[in-house]
Amino acid sequence: MSPPTWILKMVQPRGTESIGRTWCCEAVENMTWLLKEWIRLKSFAELQILSKILSNPVPIIVSNGLGQFFKGIMEPQCKKQKTRVLSTFTWEVTPVLSDEKLCEVELLEAFAAPIINKKQTSCLIKQLTCLYPLNNLPHIKRVRNCRDKSDHPLEIIICLLRDIPNREVSLNDLFPEAKADGLGEPFRVRIPAYQPLTRSQFEVASQHWPTTFRENKQVTDALQGHLFNTEEKTKMQTFMEKAIEAATVGKKMGMEPVGAVIVNPATDEVVAVGHDCRNGPNPLLHAVMVCIDLVAYSQGGGAFNHNKYHNCCFKAVESFPGEHAINIGKPLLPSNDDSLRENIVNGLPYICTGYDLYVSREPCVMCAMALVHSRIRRVFYATSFPDGALGTKYKIHTKKDLNHHYDVFKGLMEDECQFLLS
Amino acid sequence: MGEGDGAGFQPPQKQEQEQWMERALTMAKEALENGEVPVGCLMVYRNEILGQGRNEVNETKNATRHAEMVAIDQVLKWCHQKGRDRKEVFEHTVLYVTVEPCIMCAAALRLLNIPLVVYGCQNERFGGCGSVLNISQDDLLYTGTPFQCLGGYRAEEAVELLKTFYKAENPNAPKSKARKKH
């Protein structure tokens, strides 16, 4: 008789560190990984070995392979003196910002002059606004303080170098008609061409000349890696795991190994789960397109038949905000359910407005633009794609000419998704 | 291989192109009467219409259901029913559409290796054949093949239809936020 096979699933408790795949594999011999975090144990002894190497108690689900499950907590047998720092994840997300936000501060050459008579300041500003309005530079503060220079407390921008045909520097040339009372000898200075968009740009820009800056706290936090706390990261990982799970199923059906999940962040509910179906009857059914259509189904619409794909499913609007009743594989056809339609006539939700997408691979141009049309709020992806449209080849989510923009973060569970693609 | 197969494609005569465009315009007018974005399109394979679509966004609650996408599905269905190789069919299919395809549709057309798109007016808001991005011609190794574009057929009429549509607001869209200054 062969020894019983135990299948173990470690459930990552909130706020604990992730149990890395490689680490467990190395620690316990003869364990093979199923899906992402299911491991097959040959004997109960292995379970005990495993418990020895754990540094924290871990909730587990154990299956004996006969459909019986046991849920419990696996306590470490030898507690380490120091538990490792909580809230470390094996991945890091980075925001995919527009080129404008990432670029270096561009500078323009200008003439400035010291204000000798401080009382003339407001008069000078008025005069200069008429003479050289600096229309395209609303972010530039016309006057700056110079505390370090004792002979004059203030300096003022006169005009851009390009405004002067002969590039002369005497006050008479800069003020052909008016009198420039209270100004010292003009000098050249370089000033920021655009309003800074990030704190680091602001810091560089301010070294040249004071500018206005409306800080976007989210961008600053994101750039410093402080954007998401442990609880949020745990959630994000859960959603991406769902996408990976779907991708794994799709891969087995001969599809591209890409999975996607659409979440309503207001309730943390999964609205749709889908995997790539492009190798089926419709080559355009990429995972994102599948999910967008499943969201449409959840609102009483929808265009494609996903019945064949049991892992492509959605949560109907009518079941908000109740329990996790996900309709698996059987989208309601628009004509079949009038009550669902009524729900929609009353208004919200409207396509993917306010929703978040988790997708294992960077979307292509078609999918990225489909997300613009669908008014998605945020996109999290794991790995880049050579023709990717959210960072690699294009940044469609930041394209100024388009009527909707969304935030994009990459790197969420990158290793796991890379593994999926290999 | 894809490019080799497509090389057998001969663009239709100008007169033929104009006939199909006339038809696409009629469809756009119908769309307007039905409260949809007035875009009409036809997919023509060897002088036969295999797909014709108009925007179905409001009906399906799916913002990706542009006329081109609807028409593509019809061609796919035709291929399936007739047992035809969809790759061969799309490589010899011309799209006639009253408005320049958007970025999404342009990418979809690439992915299906459609060789030629004849269109009416430009799509300043979303255009993927030069207006906002040039997806039709850009160097994208993993996104099908580039396609040729012939724009400007009865562009004024196509624009006029769009203007009429956008004068009336979309009753299904949520109230837009106050425009922020940047």
Side-chain angles (χ1 to χ4, degrees):
Chain A
M1 224 172 74
S2 60
T5 302
W6 292 84
I7 303 174
L8 176 84
K9 183 183 187 180
M10 286 186 280
V11 186
Q12 193 194 336
R14 288 191 169 193
T16 64
E17 83 187 61
S18 164
I19 303 157
R21 173 177 55 235
T22 347
W23 182 64
C24 282
C25 284
E26 282 168 4
V28 186
E29 278 185 336
N30 299 324
M31 280 202 302
T32 44
W33 280 85
L34 302 173
L35 289 177
K36 199 199 143 271
E37 46 178 17
W38 285 87
I39 42 177
R40 191 184 291 273
L41 302 175
K42 281 197 175 163
S43 67
F44 197 74
E46 280 186 348
L47 195 66
Q48 290 171 313
I49 298 168
L50 188 64
S51 73
K52 277 183 190 166
I53 59 171
L54 293 171
S55 54
N56 289 311
V58 174
I60 53 163
I61 304 169
V62 180
S63 158
N64 65 358
L66 298 168
Q68 291 172 342
F69 291 91
F70 162 75
K71 280 186 190 177
I73 302 279
M74 186 146 70
E75 292 283 348
Q77 288 195 337
C78 47
K79 278 186 181 151
K80 285 184 184 169
Q81 294 206 316
K82 256 190 182 176
T83 49
R84 279 189 247 178
V85 189
L86 292 177
S87 81
T88 50
F89 289 81
T90 56
W91 45 266
E92 197 58 63
V93 286
T94 49
V96 183
L97 300 174
S98 63
D99 294 339
E100 291 85 7
K101 281 178 180 164
L102 292 173
C103 71
E104 284 182 29
V105 174
E106 203 181 304
L107 299 167
L108 293 172
E109 293 233 61
F111 282 115
I115 297 175
I116 307 298
N117 183 356
K118 209 176 162 180
K119 285 175 186 166
Q120 291 286 331
T121 306
S122 63
C123 182
L124 281 166
I125 291 173
K126 265 187 207 160
Q127 249 187 308
L128 282 169
T129 312
C130 289
L131 213 51
Y132 302 109
L134 302 183
N135 281 332
N136 297 323
L137 303 163
H139 58 283
I140 294 291
K141 296 184 178 174
R142 194 106 200 189
V143 178
R144 79 169 169 191
N145 253 315
C146 8
R147 288 199 193 93
D148 49 331
K149 293 178 186 171
S150 51
D151 57 331
H152 59 273
L154 300 169
E155 286 171 354
I156 188 162
I157 296 282
I158 298 170
C159 64
L160 289 178
L161 205 64
R162 64 178 181 213
D163 294 341
I164 303 298
N166 302 323
R167 311 215 156 168
E168 297 287 345
V169 287
S170 81
L171 273 180
N172 287 339
D173 292 309
L174 293 171
F175 294 87
E177 287 159 23
K179 277 204 292 175
D181 278 343
L183 276 185
E185 266 314 294
F187 59 93
R188 278 191 191 192
V189 67
R190 297 204 297 163
I191 62 171
Y194 305 103
Q195 182 172 47
L197 298 165
T198 65
R199 182 151 280 278
S200 66
Q201 284 179 342
F202 173 63
E203 277 159 11
V204 174
S206 302
Q207 284 173 6
H208 294 277
W209 195 272
T211 71
T212 57
F213 173 48
R214 275 192 229 102
E215 185 170 16
N216 181 334
K217 197 78 176 63
Q218 208 201 10
V219 170
T220 300
D221 284 349
L223 285 170
Q224 292 169 346
H226 297 157
L227 194 54
F228 303 107
N229 63 31
T230 307
E231 198 191 336
E232 287 166 324
K233 281 183 164 185
T234 308
K235 275 184 204 164
M236 284 154 56
Q237 176 155 335
T238 314
F239 295 134
M240 189 58 92
E241 278 172 353
K242 240 182 162 48
I244 294 171
E245 214 176 288
T248 310
V249 174
K251 193 180 181 181
K252 278 182 194 156
M253 297 173 83
M255 303 298 174
E256 289 277 301
V258 183
V261 168
I262 290 184
V263 174
N264 179 357
T267 56
D268 283 334
E269 280 175 312
V270 172
V271 183
V273 185
H275 59 70
D276 186 278
C277 300
R278 79 182 69 174
N279 295 331
N282 189 332
L284 299 183
L285 282 180
H286 296 186
V288 171
M289 301 299 274
V290 170
C291 272
I292 287 173
D293 195 48
L294 288 166
V295 170
Y297 267 109
S298 81
Q299 299 167 3
F304 298 102
N305 186 340
H306 309 282
N307 283 339
K308 259 171 64 185
Y309 306 111
H310 292 270
N311 258 58
C312 297
C313 50
F314 67 90
K315 185 178 190 307
V317 159
E318 60 173 6
S319 53
F320 286 118
E323 276 301 291
H324 302 277
I326 289 183
N327 294 346
I328 294 173
K330 283 181 186 145
L332 299 162
L333 291 167
S335 53
N336 289 354
D337 195 331
D338 288 324
S339 66
L340 206 55
R341 294 216 116 185
E342 271 173 30
N343 239 335
I344 309 313
V345 175
N346 292 337
L348 296 165
Y350 175 76
I351 45 178
C352 299
T353 309
Y355 289 168
D356 291 346
L357 170 81
Y358 294 81
V359 57
S360 57
R361 187 173 74 185
E362 183 184 356
C364 71
V365 174
M366 175 182 69
C367 294
M369 191 59 196
L371 291 165
V372 172
H373 289 315
S374 300
R375 310 278 204 275
I376 201 88
R377 186 182 80 140
R378 295 191 298 186
V379 172
F380 297 90
Y381 68 83
T383 59
S384 293
F385 169 57
D387 276 359
L390 299 182
T392 305
K393 205 85 187 202
Y394 306 96
K395 288 177 175 175
I396 282 180
H397 62 294
T398 69
K399 189 100 186 111
K400 271 197 181 133
D401 318 349
L402 298 176
N403 65 341
H404 176 74
H405 304 104
Y406 48 88
D407 290 336
V408 172
F409 303 90
K410 69 171 179 179
L412 173 56
M413 298 188 75
E414 191 175 359
D415 292 346
E416 285 83 350
C417 292
Q418 200 62 58
F419 180 73
L420 194 71
L421 292 168
S422 61
Chain B
M1 214 175 84
E3 282 185 33
D5 292 344
F9 169 76
Q10 289 293 323
Q13 297 295 310
K14 198 168 176 180
Q15 197 191 349
E16 195 193 322
Q17 291 178 13
E18 280 167 4
Q19 276 172 10
W20 295 123
M21 281 305 289
E22 170 74 41
R23 207 149 163 174
L25 265 169
T26 311
M27 291 179 60
K29 284 169 195 156
E30 281 167 22
L32 184 66
E33 285 160 18
N34 286 291
E36 292 278 4
V37 183
V39 178
C41 82
L42 296 171
M43 301 205 83
V44 179
Y45 168 74
R46 300 193 197 275
N47 225 15
E48 186 184 351
I49 300 176
L50 298 192
Q52 47 183 303
R54 59 166 179 79
N55 197 307
E56 288 179 359
V57 167
N58 291 341
E59 288 157 65
T60 59
K61 320 269 178 205
N62 180 334
T64 71
R65 300 304 290 161
H66 290 186
E68 296 92 324
M69 302 299 260
V70 173
I72 285 169
D73 280 354
Q74 288 177 6
V75 179
L76 283 168
K77 202 173 162 191
W78 183 88
C79 292
H80 182 71
Q81 281 169 352
K82 303 270 173 177
R84 297 288 293 270
D85 174 27
R86 68 185 184 216
K87 193 168 183 291
E88 189 276 327
V89 171
F90 279 117
E91 278 173 354
H92 293 88
T93 296
V94 179
L95 168 71
Y96 297 93
V97 57
T98 54
V99 184
E100 174 191 351
C102 81
I103 292 165
M104 173 188 74
C105 293
L109 296 166
R110 271 190 79 120
L111 287 166
L112 295 168
N113 310 307
I114 282 176
L116 175 65
V117 173
V118 183
Y119 68 82
C121 66
Q122 294 202 318
N123 183 343
E124 301 290 346
R125 297 169 59 166
F126 307 116
C129 306
S131 291
V132 179
L133 287 175
N134 199 352
I135 301 304
S136 52
Q137 289 296 320
D138 277 356
D139 197 12
L140 295 164
L141 256 150
Y142 301 88
T143 314
T145 48
F147 56 86
Q148 206 198 327
C149 284
L150 297 171
Y153 279 90
R154 298 176 66 177
E156 301 78 20
E157 281 172 71
V159 168
E160 215 42 57
L161 288 172
L162 284 174
K163 277 185 185 162
T164 314
F165 177 81
Y166 283 113
K167 261 181 227 160
E169 267 188 31
N170 180 1
N172 289 358
K175 275 185 185 163
S176 64
K177 289 169 225 161
R179 285 191 186 262
K180 287 172 196 161
K181 265 190 176 178
H182 284 284

